[in-house]
């Protein structure tokens, strides 16, 4: 797991905070599906509604793909938030696009992967957000099972959890992200989304062990 570029990471984090795609409220934590309490909520789908931010993300994801995944022949989006981002990239690169469902369609062809499947085709997977990496790596496995050669994955943002790093390492999948939690915190502090050292310390502690934070 790596950042594409530190300057880009800061700029993307700043823009996500500005459009409230990233929200910080340690005093009133969000509850994730896992039951974890979280001071942060990240919804990168909001970036699609802001053309300048959308273009910033698209252009840098394209650069990341061209730099790290030479020979890419197709783009695959992970349902649902990775679908529009992936489609934008595929269109800009002039490449075929497919997307991966979280579970097979319940009727018709009952597809797990939508789009033309070409065995052996070299594909880069697109995610909007990586937390533990579980759903992202399931999509990778589904693509491999369908016959694709997965070169790696690009994502807009990651929380940078150690478990995610370990999961991607064990799966042998390279992940390149535009920004992450560590790049976001200085931007939040500089722009007064964080207003004191105590709040900053709480946010740092959450990142260390989110499963027990807030209990």
């Amino acid at each position: 797991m790596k950042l594409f570029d530190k300057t880009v990471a800061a700029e993307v984090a700043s823009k996500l905070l500005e459009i409230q795609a990233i929200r910080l409220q340690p005093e009133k934590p969000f509850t994730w599906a896992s039951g974890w309490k979280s001071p942060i909520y990240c919804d990168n789908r909001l970036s699609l509604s802001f053309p300048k931010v959308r273009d910033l993300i698209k252009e840098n994801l394209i650069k990341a793909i061209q730099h790290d995944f030479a020979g890419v022949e197709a783009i695959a989006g992970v349902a649902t938030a990775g679908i529009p981002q992936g489609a934008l990239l595929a269109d800009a690169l002039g490449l075929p696009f497919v997307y991966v469902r979280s579970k097979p369609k319940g009727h018709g062809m009952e597809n797990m992967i939508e789009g033309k499947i070409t065995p052996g085709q070299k594909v880069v997977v697109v995610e909007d957000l990586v937390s533990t990496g579980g759903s992202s790596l399931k999509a990778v496995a589904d693509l491999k099972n369908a016959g694709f050669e997965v070169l790696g994955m690009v994502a807009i943002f990651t929380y940078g959890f150690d478990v995610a790093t370990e999961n991607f390492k064990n799966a042998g999948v390279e992940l390149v992200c535009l920004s992450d939690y560590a790049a976001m915190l200085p931007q939040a502090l500089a722009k007064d989304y964080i207003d004191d050292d105590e709040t900053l310390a709480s946010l740092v502690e959450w990142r260390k062990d989110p499963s027990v934070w807030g209990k």
Side-chain angles (χ1 to χ4, degrees):
M1 184 186 299
K2 68 177 184 179
L3 286 179
F4 168 59
D5 179 274
K6 289 184 178 180
T7 301
V8 169
E11 184 178 10
V12 169
S14 176
K15 293 301 182 184
L16 293 177
L17 285 162
E18 184 180 308
I19 66 173
Q20 295 189 318
I22 291 178
R23 297 192 182 201
L24 299 172
Q25 50 182 64
E27 73 289 347
K28 189 180 179 182
F30 302 97
T31 301
W32 287 2
S34 63
W36 287 0
K37 296 295 182 181
S38 171
I40 181 173
Y41 185 76
C42 183
D43 182 4
N44 294 322
R45 289 168 292 196
L46 278 172
S47 67
L48 297 165
S49 299
F50 296 84
K52 289 183 179 179
V53 180
R54 185 178 68 213
D55 286 346
L56 171 70
I57 289 170
K58 178 182 71 175
E59 289 164 7
N60 282 290
L61 285 175
I62 287 171
K63 289 177 183 177
I65 290 171
Q66 292 173 332
H67 183 269
D68 286 279
F69 303 115
V72 58
E73 297 171 335
I75 300 295
V78 180
T80 57
I83 294 175
Q85 301 291 350
L88 287 169
L89 298 183
D91 184 63
L93 291 166
L95 294 175
F97 176 71
V98 301
Y99 69 86
V100 189
R101 294 177 176 275
S102 58
K103 58 183 179 180
K105 188 176 180 180
H107 57 278
M109 297 295 290
E110 299 188 350
N111 293 334
M112 176 65 79
I113 297 170
E114 298 290 357
K116 181 175 173 56
I117 295 174
T118 304
Q121 197 168 42
K122 297 177 181 178
V123 64
V124 171
V125 185
V126 179
E127 266 283 26
D128 74 318
L129 173 69
V130 172
S131 52
T132 63
S135 59
S136 304
L137 290 171
K138 180 182 179 299
V140 169
D142 290 334
L143 287 162
K144 288 182 177 179
N145 290 337
F148 288 98
E149 179 183 343
V150 178
L151 298 181
M153 181 180 295
V154 293
I156 300 171
F157 191 85
T158 179
Y159 298 116
F161 295 143
D162 291 340
V163 65
T165 300
E166 193 67 18
N167 285 341
F168 275 87
K169 180 181 178 181
N170 290 340
V173 178
E174 183 176 358
L175 171 63
V176 181
C177 298
L178 295 189
S179 192
D180 66 2
Y181 192 76
M184 180 274 299
L185 286 179
Q187 296 301 311
L189 190 61
K191 296 178 182 295
D192 295 327
Y193 294 99
I194 301 172
D195 56 12
D196 57 52
D197 291 340
E198 184 178 346
T199 301
L200 177 60
S202 178
L203 290 166
V204 170
E205 284 303 310
W206 174 80
R207 166 61 184 77
K208 290 178 181 178
D209 195 349
S211 65
V212 301
W213 183 89
K215 292 183 179 180

